[in-house]
Amino acid sequence: MRVLIAGIDGYLGWPLAQHLAARGHIVGGIDRFLRRAWVEEVGSISAVPIADWVEREKAFSEHFDNRLICGFGDMLDYAFLGTFVESFHPDAVIHLAEMPSAPYSMIDQAHSAFTQQNNVIGSLNLLWALHTHCPEAHLVKLGTMGEYGTPDVDIPEGFFDVEFRGRRDRLPFPRQAGSYYHWSKVHDSNNTMFACSTWGLRATDVMQGVVYGTYTGRTNDDWRMSTRLDFDTCFGTIINRFVCQVVLRHPLTVYGPGGQKRGFIPLGDSLACLTLALESPPKAGEYRVFNQFEDTYRISELAGIVCEEAHALGIDSEIIHYENPRVERADHYYNPDHKHLFDLGYQPSGDIRKVISQMIEDVLPFTNRLAPYRNNLVPEIRWDTEHRRSTPLSSAST
């Protein structure tokens, strides 16, 4: 299968390219290297050293028989995008090429507008490119569980049956996003659903939970195959950030009491699930939604697990509760469905504690690399006020 990965240089895109190539797929890629630029903009780096693209491409060709076929440009540039899609002519496209940070989207007007334009228009351009050049291709679009928000009812996989005033219908489940980033993903979902019903495109919208984990190239001892690991408060997802904090002997930063509950999935499981979706396409005109996560956890629970695994490795750590910079409920009901991927054969890889312990061991060699960036571990971007650093509320040693 010819698979185009939009966002091939990213946290998910780079290991996914390797995973698919190992399964015999021909992999193409699109990227503008904005993830590197965004992290640099907020004054941070990847915790794990990553190779530049020239070295990555060289390493890929050494480890896999089929070379990468890549185009480097902006998905907002429809002439570039349409030409590349027509030339590569994919059987499937995995769309990972969006700005993925809620805090970044809330910095100020300019960052909010950029997020919406980059994500919504870039995705819309991709829909038009597929409609024009590859109408039979399967689009696997990375959404987010954050589109749903935290309603006080169970969350289905995309659609639910509703009865109102004596009439029944099956409708998209209402979205209650919590940032301009998450709202951009809601707009993407709506546009994709419309393209399927209007043009007969086929799409899988993956509502992914929070991803965590390292991909360090241990299987081939080649550091060029490693993916990035962000830890700053903009681009570092919560477990990745906690792991880097314990390695730096920095207190774990829990927002508010830590009662927020979310779905989480290890990086390796994310790659497996995206592959399952890719290799089991929907029929023409079908828009389907998969909720992609392994299990749900409260943030305070995760902080405790990371501290316990760090302690087992000889690292003492502390948890500090900060005033929550986000506008969200501190404690809430959260029970999303996630059946479709299990029906396709998804088997969770194992214990979250083992993954976290391995992550700590993977990051420990880079402690000195992380040390100059300790200031990036405390939240500064607030939903209600520009750039006012949150205040510690309490701490607890573990």
Side-chain angles (χ1 to χ4, degrees):
M1 187 184 300
R2 296 177 67 83
V3 183
L4 175 60
I5 302 175
I8 195 171
D9 188 53
Y11 176 55
L12 290 176
W14 180 235
L16 182 61
Q18 299 172 53
H19 181 74
L20 294 178
R23 295 177 65 84
H25 297 296
I26 299 172
V27 180
I30 291 174
D31 214 292
R32 194 182 163 196
F33 307 113
L34 287 179
R35 178 62 171 264
R36 298 178 187 240
W38 293 327
V39 173
E40 182 178 357
E41 178 192 345
V42 299
S44 193
I45 59 170
S46 167
V48 175
I50 54 173
D52 62 29
W53 183 256
V54 173
E55 287 298 314
R56 280 187 161 184
E57 197 167 31
K58 180 180 178 183
F60 193 95
S61 65
E62 292 173 4
H63 291 286
F64 301 102
D65 293 336
N66 50 330
R67 68 179 182 87
L68 285 172
I69 304 170
C70 292
F72 304 108
D74 193 342
M75 288 182 61
L76 299 182
D77 179 357
Y78 184 72
F80 154 75
L81 181 62
T83 299
F84 187 82
V85 168
E86 181 181 23
S87 173
F88 184 72
H89 206 82
D91 300 301
V93 177
I94 301 181
H95 181 19
L96 311 174
E98 297 192 74
M99 199 295 296
S101 167
Y104 189 87
S105 76
M106 300 298 292
I107 291 175
D108 54 25
Q109 178 277 330
H111 287 80
S112 295
F114 168 79
T115 298
Q116 295 266 323
Q117 181 182 31
N118 182 79
N119 292 1
V120 177
I121 302 305
S123 297
L124 186 60
N125 281 347
L126 180 58
L127 290 172
W128 274 102
L130 294 177
H131 172 53
T132 304
H133 303 294
C134 304
E136 296 300 316
H138 172 203
L139 173 63
V140 179
K141 183 186 76 66
L142 190 69
T144 166
M145 290 296 295
E147 291 186 30
Y148 296 119
T150 54
D152 204 30
V153 296
D154 292 355
I155 300 173
E157 297 195 78
F159 295 85
F160 74 135
D161 296 318
V162 60
E163 182 175 345
F164 184 63
R165 293 178 179 172
R167 300 189 66 84
R168 296 180 60 86
D169 203 349
R170 184 164 180 81
L171 299 174
F173 189 75
R175 305 302 205 253
Q176 301 180 65
S179 74
Y180 285 118
Y181 155 66
H182 288 102
W183 277 114
S184 75
K185 303 293 278 188
V186 174
H187 302 326
D188 293 338
S189 293
N190 291 336
N191 285 340
T192 303
M193 181 169 56
F194 179 73
C196 290
S197 64
T198 304
W199 297 334
L201 295 183
R202 66 191 80 213
T204 303
D205 207 350
V206 178
M207 302 300 163
Q208 182 163 254
V210 183
V211 183
Y212 63 96
T214 47
Y215 188 92
T216 58
R218 289 188 305 274
T219 55
N220 49 44
D221 297 321
D222 188 340
W223 75 276
R224 299 171 300 174
M225 308 306 282
S226 302
T227 196
R228 63 182 309 111
L229 186 76
D230 293 308
F231 59 94
D232 61 88
T233 58
C234 269
F235 294 96
T237 56
I238 187 71
I239 297 180
N240 292 356
R241 190 166 74 247
F242 281 170
V243 164
C244 291
Q245 286 173 339
V246 298
V247 166
L248 281 172
R249 278 63 172 181
H250 186 287
L252 275 65
T253 52
V254 173
Y255 299 168
Q260 308 94 320
K261 195 173 186 180
R262 302 289 188 268
F264 291 82
I265 186 168
L267 175 59
D269 284 29
S270 174
L271 305 182
C273 287
L274 291 171
T275 302
L276 280 172
L278 172 77
E279 295 178 348
S280 303
K283 64 181 182 294
E286 181 181 358
Y287 169 79
R288 64 184 184 181
V289 178
F290 291 171
N291 292 348
Q292 180 175 295
F293 62 94
E294 179 184 19
D295 209 342
T296 60
Y297 300 89
R298 296 197 182 276
I299 301 304
S300 56
E301 179 185 4
L302 290 173
I305 292 173
V306 174
C307 285
E308 290 168 7
E309 293 308 308
H311 183 73
L313 294 171
I315 303 173
D316 292 328
S317 53
E318 179 185 17
I319 297 171
I320 291 185
H321 293 263
Y322 277 81
E323 179 185 0
N324 195 340
R326 306 184 180 208
V327 177
E328 61 184 359
R329 288 193 286 173
D331 197 6
H332 54 83
Y333 181 79
Y334 194 69
N335 187 34
D337 295 342
H338 60 148
K339 181 176 181 291
H340 295 336
L341 282 163
F342 284 90
D343 289 344
L344 290 179
Y346 169 47
Q347 296 180 347
S349 60
D351 187 353
I352 186 174
R353 292 178 176 273
K354 291 181 180 179
V355 177
I356 289 173
S357 180
Q358 184 62 61
M359 290 175 65
I360 296 171
E361 292 185 350
D362 287 342
V363 176
L364 271 171
F366 306 112
T367 303
N368 291 338
R369 173 182 173 84
L370 300 178
Y373 300 93
R374 288 177 62 89
N375 289 339
N376 292 336
L377 299 173
V378 176
E380 289 188 329
I381 299 166
R382 297 183 59 89
W383 270 223
D384 55 354
T385 307
E386 281 190 22
H387 294 285
R388 182 164 64 83
R389 184 173 288 250
S390 292
T391 305
L393 300 176
S394 65
S395 64
S397 297
T398 302

